[in-house]
Amino acid sequence: MCIRDSVNAEPKIQPSRPVIRMLLSNLLSNAINASDPGIITVEISKSELRVLDQGSKVSEQNKQEGHGLGLLIVDALCQRYNWRFSLVSREPTGSIASLNFKSHL
């Protein structure tokens, strides 16, 4: 028996609204939990979603200990859809969580 595969193009996978809601909900929850009273900003463009908070900066220790369950879910979903997720420190204080929707294959 011989099975042949013929792939002419990769299918584009579009996330459902619940997936987008889950991503945004987890990013906002993380920003709220990381911040004392302050401003949380959500920036949305055609190719990127960013959540900026005024909480504590991201340190190497935070990265080694993990992001927390919500951000691990965000990271897993981004891997599923070939998006890029990053969490970096913001000057003078706070962090920026970014989802880049361009495919990074």
Side-chain angles (χ1 to χ4, degrees), residues 59-76:
S59 68
E60 284 306 310
Q61 182 178 359
N62 295 109
K63 288 181 181 179
Q64 290 173 357
E65 292 174 0
H67 298 305
L69 182 59
L71 294 183
L72 289 174
I73 291 169
V74 169
D75 193 44

Side-chain angles (χ1 to χ4, degrees), residues 8-97:
N8 296 324
E10 296 269 340
K12 290 187 178 182
I13 300 171
Q14 297 296 324
S16 63
R17 286 181 186 250
V19 169
I20 295 296
R21 270 186 245 140
M22 186 183 308
L23 289 168
L24 187 54
S25 173
N26 283 324
L27 292 177
L28 286 174
S29 292
N30 185 72
I32 290 166
N33 291 331
S35 299
D36 291 328
I39 297 171
I40 296 172
T41 305
V42 177
E43 298 176 348
I44 301 172
S45 70
K46 186 175 182 178
S47 63
E48 188 174 45
L49 183 145
R50 295 176 3 136
V51 177
L52 300 86
D53 66 58
Q54 295 178 332
S56 58
K57 291 184 179 183
V58 178
S59 68
E60 284 306 310
Q61 182 178 359
N62 295 109
K63 288 181 181 179
Q64 290 173 357
E65 292 174 0
H67 298 305
L69 182 59
L71 294 183
L72 289 174
I73 291 169
V74 169
D75 193 44
L77 287 170
C78 286
Q79 288 179 24
R80 165 82 166 96
Y81 292 104
N82 294 314
W83 297 335
R84 184 168 292 157
F85 169 64
S86 67
L87 180 63
V88 296
S89 293
R90 177 180 176 202
E91 294 298 331
T93 183
S95 61
I96 303 170

Side-chain angles (χ1 to χ4, degrees), residues 92-104:
T93 183
S95 61
I96 303 170
S98 300
L99 299 177
N100 187 310
F101 299 120
K102 292 181 180 177
S103 182
H104 294 278

